[in-house]
Amino acid sequence: MCGIVGIVGSTPVNQSIYDALTVLQHRGQDAAGIVTIANDNFKQRKANGLVKDVFASKHMQRLKGTIGIGHVRYPTAGSSSAAEAQPFYVNSPWGLALAHNGNLTNAAGLRESLIKSRRHINTTSDSEVLLNIFAAELDKVEGKKLTPDDIFNAVSDVHKQVSGAYGVVSLMIDHGLVAFRDPDGIRPLVLGSRKTEEGDIEYIVASESVGLDTIGFEVMRDVEPGEAVYITEDRQLFTKQCAEKSSLHPCIFEYVYLARPDSTLSGISVYEARLEMGRTLGAKIKREWADVDIDVIIPIPETSNEIALVMSEVLDLPYRQGFVKNRYIGRTFIMPGQTQRRKSVRRKLNPITAEFKGKSVLLVDDSIVRGTTSEQIVEMVRDAGAKKVYLASAAPPVCHPNVYGIDMPTASELIAHGRSVEQISDSIGTDALIYQDLDDLKAAVGRQNPDVDGFECSVFDGIYVTGDVTQEYFDYLASLRSEDAKKIQEQKEEIASLELHNES
């Protein structure tokens, strides 16, 4: 999961891209980057860290130009070094930069074919692979300048070669901005515009509508699955469907956890979808837990707040805020490494003892992935004096790896994999545990847009919509993680050795 944005303006876009990235920060806290075009040259700044830490005044002053793209990243596999920060660029044709949200499931084969064609891949990122595939297709076109049809044909050929989930923004010097979305519509991409005081029309493409709202753009529509958008440097807009077959199967986990509640994706309000999740889960608890004595409903902040509020109405139980959240700690779900996630939970949440002492508490969470956070929160609540601790998950059991850009690649890390609900409850220490049914979740999210063909629900049902995911691919992902862990350990040992040498 990453956040991307691209803007074609009539005035400098550096500040607008920066502002958009700050509200997309929830999609990735590992690295950030911006590339702009000025005087037929790329101006770039990217590094590991949060947006506010990566870009200082001196960097913003260098990022001149009226067209640019930005990216916030968290790694799903492979290295998390600064060299992996996006956007990436290649010099030919014309100079091409690209930022990508998602994951290619055939990246290994594509990498081998690129190497055979004498294209150099400098990182482990599949985004650099995608950049080079796109560049190779554009390179086939003869002429001094590409036409919109040339660009759309190149995107069409990219669709034929790559598989997986991808939302893309790219820049081409002397041309403009090109954005496109995978033919299954798994990862989101939104198109918008705004009118300046001088009457000029500026355009934006971003991962979520909230990236548009906060900087004065209006949503025009979602980029359709398989569609490409080309916006010239002088702000002419061209669009075309570039996939031979397309369908709308948005990732349902965007609505459960990933997206901000004030975003609308694929015609579905994330906030309204979460309210519906609360209604359906509340109805299930009313049916199946009629004999369970609950004193109060308390959400585990913040994604589950609105879900728990509606549940309290359905169940006619008090809703209380029982945790104080430290907003200066990142989202534990997207932190690399189990140890770092475990350490950060206690620093991130602190219970209000009076809300728990002597009570039978129903905690509500959006989902349970690894179980690390849930276990520690349950322990905190018991330490705060709770008599009984129940837990309700607004999502079904997460049993299968995700391969489309969310950090769930190893089944062994998922607490629900191969375990019953009772076993999971025992593992995290609750008195009872209940999950949302998958059909109820689909209905809750899909109610706002009947034109959705279905949802990408692989983490719940093990069905991968691209149809090319095999055990061999899971083994490949595991090897990437293992290699990355090995490198990190070697770095730690090298640092420890240097410190020991310095002490002696």
Side-chain angles (χ1 to χ4, degrees):
M1 181 186 72
C2 299
I4 58 174
V5 61
I7 299 178
V8 183
S10 58
T11 56
V13 296
N14 53 355
Q15 188 64 52
S16 289
I17 293 174
Y18 175 95
D19 292 341
L21 290 180
T22 60
V23 296
L24 295 173
Q25 186 77 83
H26 60 285
R27 300 188 68 87
Q29 301 170 9
D30 188 66
I34 293 176
V35 169
T36 60
I37 297 175
N39 300 320
D40 289 336
N41 286 297
F42 285 135
K43 307 297 181 181
Q44 176 179 270
R45 167 63 179 171
K46 60 179 183 176
N48 280 356
L50 300 175
V51 173
K52 66 181 180 64
D53 299 320
V54 169
F55 302 102
S57 295
K58 62 181 180 181
H59 304 125
M60 296 296 288
Q61 290 168 6
R62 288 204 307 266
L63 293 168
K64 298 176 181 178
T66 59
I67 179 172
I69 58 176
H71 185 270
V72 287
R73 179 201 72 175
Y74 95 110
T76 54
S79 172
S80 59
S81 72
E84 305 278 326
Q86 297 185 42
F88 294 114
Y89 77 90
V90 290
N91 291 322
S92 176
W94 284 279
L96 180 67
L98 179 144
H100 161 227
N101 170 37
N103 186 59
L104 304 187
T105 53
N106 64 339
L110 293 172
R111 184 183 300 272
E112 290 179 7
S113 67
L114 287 167
I115 292 172
K116 288 178 182 178
S117 65
R118 296 182 292 183
R119 279 191 170 269
H120 177 69
I121 307 298
N122 199 48
T123 70
T124 64
S125 173
D126 63 336
S127 302
E128 191 184 10
V129 171
L130 182 55
L131 166 64
N132 277 273
I133 292 290
F134 189 31
E137 293 306 321
L138 292 170
D139 253 338
K140 295 176 182 178
V141 182
E142 297 180 358
K144 293 184 178 179
K145 192 167 183 176
L146 300 174
T147 67
D149 280 342
D150 291 333
I151 291 171
F152 293 143
N153 289 338
V155 174
S156 179
D157 288 334
V158 169
H159 286 325
K160 293 172 184 176
Q161 295 177 66
V162 306
S163 183
Y166 47 95
V168 173
V169 288
S170 63
L171 292 179
M172 197 183 313
I173 289 175
D174 198 35
H175 287 78
L177 182 148
V178 183
F180 53 93
R181 188 180 180 190
D182 66 83
D184 292 299
I186 300 172
R187 295 269 74 88
L189 203 58
V190 182
L191 173 66
S193 65
R194 70 181 175 190
K195 182 177 283 189
T196 67
E197 293 181 358
E198 292 74 23
D200 296 319
I201 300 296
E202 300 180 321
Y203 292 100
I204 185 172
V205 180
S207 293
E208 294 184 29
S209 63
V210 69
L212 286 61
D213 304 337
T214 54
I215 56 174
F217 281 88
E218 292 186 1
V219 173
M220 296 168 62
R221 59 180 178 84
D222 292 278
V223 177
E224 296 297 324
E227 184 184 23
V229 175
Y230 173 40
I231 308 166
T232 64
E233 290 182 315
D234 58 357
R235 302 183 309 285
Q236 295 183 67
L237 174 66
F238 301 89
T239 66
K240 187 176 181 179
Q241 174 56 255
C242 295
E244 293 179 349
K245 292 196 308 181
S246 65
S247 64
L248 182 56
H249 284 81
C251 172
I252 204 165
F253 217 73
E254 290 277 358
Y255 304 94
V256 171
Y257 178 85
L258 301 179
R260 275 183 36 157
D262 45 347
S263 282
T264 298
L265 308 174
S266 299
I268 300 170
S269 161
V270 176
Y271 179 76
E272 290 295 334
R274 289 177 184 165
L275 294 181
E276 285 294 328
M277 291 177 209
R279 291 187 184 98
T280 54
L281 183 56
K284 181 178 180 179
I285 292 173
K286 200 168 189 176
R287 290 192 310 269
E288 299 187 8
W289 277 10
D291 58 341
V292 176
D293 185 26
I294 300 170
D295 295 320
V296 64
I297 295 179
I298 295 179
I300 297 172
E302 294 179 324
T303 314
S304 59
N305 287 359
E306 52 266 31
I307 298 170
L309 181 60
V310 172
M311 287 174 61
S312 73
E313 296 170 357
V314 172
L315 297 170
D316 193 25
L317 289 170
Y319 168 90
R320 306 288 287 180
Q321 290 283 347
F323 298 95
V324 176
K325 182 178 179 181
N326 181 351
R327 300 182 186 278
Y328 300 97
I329 300 292
R331 297 174 82 170
T332 56
F333 174 77
I334 62 175
M335 285 184 173
Q338 187 83 325
T339 301
Q340 189 174 350
R341 281 188 292 268
R342 184 175 288 276
K343 286 181 178 179
S344 66
V345 174
R346 288 279 184 172
R347 299 198 303 267
K348 184 177 180 179
L349 294 177
N350 196 46
I352 301 172
T353 302
E355 297 299 337
F356 297 102
K357 194 168 185 179
K359 297 179 182 178
S360 295
V361 178
L362 174 60
L363 300 176
V364 180
D365 209 351
D366 50 71
S367 58
I368 304 169
V369 180
R370 296 171 176 87
T372 308
T373 301
S374 302
E375 180 184 357
Q376 291 189 67
I377 289 174
V378 170
E379 184 182 337
M380 278 194 287
V381 171
R382 290 201 185 280
D383 290 344
K387 182 172 61 176
K388 295 278 187 179
V389 183
Y390 307 106
L391 178 59
S393 169
V398 177
C399 301
H400 304 278
N402 182 278
V403 299
Y404 298 127
I406 305 175
D407 190 21
M408 300 181 199
T410 306
S412 61
E413 294 181 358
L414 307 175
I415 193 169
H417 182 75
R419 293 185 179 92
S420 67
V421 174
E422 291 74 18
Q423 288 172 327
I424 299 167
S425 179
D426 290 342
S427 179
I428 61 179
T430 56
D431 291 287
L433 170 66
I434 194 167
Y435 283 97
Q436 181 96 261
D437 292 331
L438 182 54
D439 286 343
D440 285 346
L441 177 61
K442 290 178 181 178
V445 179
R447 189 164 286 122
Q448 298 174 60
N449 186 1
D451 293 330
V452 170
D453 298 305
F455 290 98
E456 199 295 301
C457 302
S458 57
V459 297
F460 306 125
D461 60 16
I463 299 172
Y464 298 91
V465 299
T466 54
D468 63 337
V469 178
T470 64
Q471 185 58 48
E472 183 181 6
Y473 181 65
F474 290 133
D475 293 341
Y476 165 71
L477 287 181
S479 70
L480 287 181
R481 281 201 147 198
S482 177
E483 186 63 29
D484 193 32
K486 182 180 177 182
K487 289 178 181 177
I488 292 172
Q489 184 60 35
E490 289 173 351
Q491 290 170 358
K492 289 180 179 178
E493 289 175 357
E494 184 178 349
I495 292 170
S497 177
L498 287 172
E499 289 175 347
L500 184 62
H501 176 75
N502 290 336
E503 288 175 2
S504 61

